Amino acid sequence: MTRVLLIEDDPAVRRGVCLGLRRRGHETEAVGTGEDGLQALGPFAPDIVLLDLMLPGMSGLEVCRRIRETSQVPLVILSARGDDVDIVVGLEAGADDYVVKPASGELIEARIRAVLRRVAPAQPAAEPHERRTTYGDLTIDGVGLQVHKDGQDLVLAPSELKLLLFLSASPQQTFSRQQLLEQVWEHSYYGDARLVDACVMRLRSKIEDDPRSPRYVQTVRGFGYRFGPL
């Protein structure tokens, strides 16, 4: 049973989303403020967080940032604010996905399942010596799902980890944003390229010495991205 923490201030939306989640077998806890959501993280130990942006008191963006300071729990923003700027800012704050309200229970369920699959992404079979690969100061363990830089563990969000695993499995091969959406996020619609770009930016900030001159996750202008250690 998946434990879902919903942080949503609108009582009607809260009831509707919770009802849909519980009908689908999820254990759900719902709170109306960001402060209550942060307090519930420890005791409830959710498998995923659904977070509204327009909250009283502490904003949803601040809640997202604070969660990311201490936890890499999968997080989906569920908001009526669907402008490009709002979506990009939310993704850059550390969200794994963004759903614009109103959204059907089927869509929310599909996004939850897709994000949770990224927590433990399936990797193709590999020989023992291929399961842990080192590129310069970066070591990627595709079986243990761990990444190390200069011997130090890196804490990556689910989307960041799966993106890195996917790209590094085919070094020097360029993938379009659409291909990455289908393989990493498992869905696509107009505008979703923002998911890829925001995730690449966050990933670079963690694995690159200089994100402005990336060594590992490189941009191929007009095409997409590739893993190309120099």
Side-chain angles (χ1 to χ4, degrees), residues 25 44 66 92 158 201:
F44 185 57
R66 293 201 183 188
E92 290 179 350
M201 185 188 70

Side-chain angles (χ1 to χ4, degrees), residues 72 115-124 130-133 138-149 152-166 168-169 203:
Q72 295 303 319
V115 170
L116 290 176
R117 281 194 291 269
R118 299 201 290 272
V119 177
Q123 291 297 297
E130 296 176 335
R131 294 176 178 172
R132 187 180 179 94
T133 309
L138 191 69
T139 299
I140 301 171
D141 183 350
V143 174
L145 301 179
Q146 295 179 322
V147 181
H148 311 276
K149 182 176 175 63
Q152 301 295 317
D153 292 346
L154 297 182
V155 180
L156 303 182
S159 297
E160 299 161 5
L161 176 59
K162 188 170 183 183
L163 178 62
L164 179 60
L165 290 172
F166 181 79
S168 64
L203 180 58

Side-chain angles (χ1 to χ4, degrees), residues 80-227:
R81 295 167 59 174
D83 292 341
D84 285 1
V85 172
D86 294 318
I87 295 175
V88 170
V89 170
L91 296 171
E92 290 179 350
D96 293 291
D97 209 339
Y98 196 112
V99 177
V100 178
K101 297 186 294 187
S104 68
E106 289 77 11
L107 176 59
I108 295 173
E109 173 72 10
R111 295 298 180 84
I112 287 175
R113 289 183 179 275
V115 170
L116 290 176
R117 281 194 291 269
R118 299 201 290 272
V119 177
Q123 291 297 297
E127 295 300 322
H129 67 280
E130 296 176 335
R131 294 176 178 172
R132 187 180 179 94
T133 309
T134 298
Y135 306 94
D137 58 2
L138 191 69
T139 299
I140 301 171
D141 183 350
V143 174
L145 301 179
Q146 295 179 322
V147 181
H148 311 276
K149 182 176 175 63
D150 290 326
Q152 301 295 317
D153 292 346
L154 297 182
V155 180
L156 303 182
S159 297
E160 299 161 5
L161 176 59
K162 188 170 183 183
L163 178 62
L164 179 60
L165 290 172
F166 181 79
L167 289 173
S168 64
S170 303
Q172 303 300 333
Q173 182 174 342
T174 299
F175 295 93
S176 69
R177 289 174 176 83
Q178 184 65 33
Q179 288 174 311
L180 294 174
L181 284 169
E182 293 171 357
Q183 295 297 322
V184 178
W185 280 267
E186 303 181 20
H187 65 83
S188 62
Y189 60 88
Y190 177 75
D192 261 5
R194 295 168 297 196
L195 291 171
V196 179
D197 294 337
C199 188
V200 166
M201 185 188 70
R202 298 199 315 263
L203 180 58
R204 283 174 172 167
S205 72
K206 296 178 181 180
I207 69 172
E208 305 283 1
D209 294 326
D210 183 359
R212 295 169 299 180
S213 300
R215 179 183 182 189
Y216 297 111
V217 180
Q218 300 176 4
T219 301
V220 181
R221 294 192 181 280
F223 293 94
Y225 297 102
R226 70 180 181 191
F227 186 81

